[in-house]
């Protein structure tokens, strides 16, 4: 069962009204992600609210969005809402299961397993990203460098090697969060190398 399916099961089993608290608990239960710690995206102005988004808790912001929505609150709809409010792509995260990729974002590990091979580490506000090998990869291959084919794929996406941090690094020139499409291309590049060269590691 995928993490998205686990979240759906949690929500389906809940008999009361879906609220910000219920959604936060469902996300924590299925994904191990604490939305209370996730920063709220700046461009999400809450219409009709007397408080600025920065003064509201994550649960209160979700509640305000739920009040404004006429849609049935299904798992897929709620996951889209979470992405809109926090920039946390739960569908994408669910797809990472078994991909051997660790993801650190929103000041917490989003996906992290002992035998993952590479780390995707996003900074504050998801404005920048760095890619580096895990300790497990280094121990198994004897190399602290990313594979040459992965280096080339990352360079094509706009990453550069940053010697100071010892990682391949990308910073969005607009100063805004890196878009989901770019994150997806990054994950596809890493996944391609894992599948072709390190599937048995």
């Amino acid at each position: 069962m995928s993490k998205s399916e686990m979240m759906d099961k949690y929500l389906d089993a809940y008999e009361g009204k879906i609220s910000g608290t219920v959604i936060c608990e469902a996300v924590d239960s299925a994904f191990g992600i604490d939305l209370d710690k996730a920063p709220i995206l700046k461009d999400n102005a809450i219409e009709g609210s007397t408080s600025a988004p920065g003064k509201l808790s994550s649960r209160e912001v979700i509640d305000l969005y739920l009040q404004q929505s006429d849609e049935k609150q299904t798992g897929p709809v709620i996951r889209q809402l979470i992405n809109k409010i926090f920039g946390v792509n739960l569908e994408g995260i669910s797809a990472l299961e078994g991909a051997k990729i660790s993801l650190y974002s929103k000041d917490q590990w989003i996906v992290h397993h002992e035998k993952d091979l590479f780390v995707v580490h996003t900074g504050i506000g998801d404005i920048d990203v760095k890619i580096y090998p895990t300790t497990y990869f280094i121990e198994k291959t004897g190399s602290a460098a990313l594979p040459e084919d992965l280096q080339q794929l990352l360079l094509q996406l706009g990453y550069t090697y940053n010697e100071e941090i010892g990682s391949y690094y990308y910073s969005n020139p607009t100063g805004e969060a890196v878009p989901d499409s770019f994150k997806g291309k990054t994950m596809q590049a890493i996944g391609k190398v894992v599948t072709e060269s390190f599937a048995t590691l």
Side-chain angles (χ1 to χ4, degrees), residues 143-164:
S143 173
L146 292 178
E148 185 65 32
D149 48 354
L150 179 53
Q151 292 181 34
Q152 293 304 314
L153 290 172
L154 293 176
L155 288 171
Q156 290 170 21
L157 288 175
Y159 285 84
T160 56
Y161 183 70
N162 185 313
E163 291 187 10
E164 289 185 11

Side-chain angles (χ1 to χ4, degrees), residues 23 27 35 38-47 53 58 61-62 64-71 73 75-91 93 106 125-126 177-178 180 183:
I23 290 172
V27 171
L35 290 179
I40 297 161
L41 296 183
K42 291 179 182 178
D43 59 349
N44 282 319
I46 311 298
E47 295 177 10
S58 296
V61 171
I62 295 171
L64 285 171
Y65 271 95
L66 292 176
Q67 290 168 17
Q68 296 171 17
S69 174
D70 295 327
E71 287 186 274
Q73 300 308 317
V77 168
I78 290 171
R79 285 190 286 279
Q80 286 181 1
L81 180 64
I82 296 302
N83 198 13
K84 180 179 181 181
I85 297 173
F86 304 101
V88 176
N89 184 346
L90 295 175
E91 298 290 7
I93 292 165
K106 317 299 179 188
D126 283 358
V178 174
D180 279 349
K183 294 176 186 175

Side-chain angles (χ1 to χ4, degrees), residues 52-197:
K55 296 182 180 179
L56 296 171
S57 71
S58 296
R59 299 174 187 223
E60 290 171 331
V61 171
I62 295 171
D63 282 335
L64 285 171
Y65 271 95
L66 292 176
Q67 290 168 17
Q68 296 171 17
S69 174
D70 295 327
E71 287 186 274
K72 183 179 179 182
Q73 300 308 317
T74 63
V77 168
I78 290 171
R79 285 190 286 279
Q80 286 181 1
L81 180 64
I82 296 302
N83 198 13
K84 180 179 181 181
I85 297 173
F86 304 101
V88 176
N89 184 346
L90 295 175
E91 298 290 7
I93 292 165
S94 183
L96 281 180
E97 281 302 299
K100 300 185 179 182
I101 302 171
S102 288
L103 174 61
Y104 187 88
S105 183
K106 317 299 179 188
D107 294 324
Q108 58 189 304
W109 285 108
I110 305 296
V111 179
H112 189 50
H113 300 103
E114 184 181 353
K115 294 185 178 181
D116 286 341
L117 303 177
F118 306 105
V119 177
V120 176
H121 188 294
T122 66
I124 297 173
D126 283 358
I127 294 170
D128 58 354
V129 189
K130 57 184 177 181
I131 316 290
Y132 54 91
T134 63
T135 301
Y136 176 78
F137 177 87
I138 295 169
E139 289 174 350
K140 288 294 182 180
T141 65
S143 173
L146 292 178
E148 185 65 32
D149 48 354
L150 179 53
Q151 292 181 34
Q152 293 304 314
L153 290 172
L154 293 176
L155 288 171
Q156 290 170 21
L157 288 175
Y159 285 84
T160 56
Y161 183 70
N162 185 313
E163 291 187 10
E164 289 185 11
I165 60 175
S167 305
Y168 273 77
Y169 180 80
Y170 176 84
S171 179
N172 194 343
T174 67
E176 300 173 337
V178 174
D180 279 349
S181 58
F182 183 84
K183 294 176 186 175
K185 290 176 182 177
T186 297
M187 295 300 184
Q188 287 172 10
I190 300 172
K192 181 176 187 292
V193 172
V194 170
T195 301
E196 293 179 355
S197 305

Side-chain angles (χ1 to χ4, degrees), residues 27-53:
V27 171
D28 193 15
S29 175
F31 290 85
I33 298 172
D34 186 355
L35 290 179
D36 291 317
K37 294 181 179 178
I40 297 161
L41 296 183
K42 291 179 182 178
D43 59 349
N44 282 319
I46 311 298
E47 295 177 10
S49 171
T50 56
S51 300

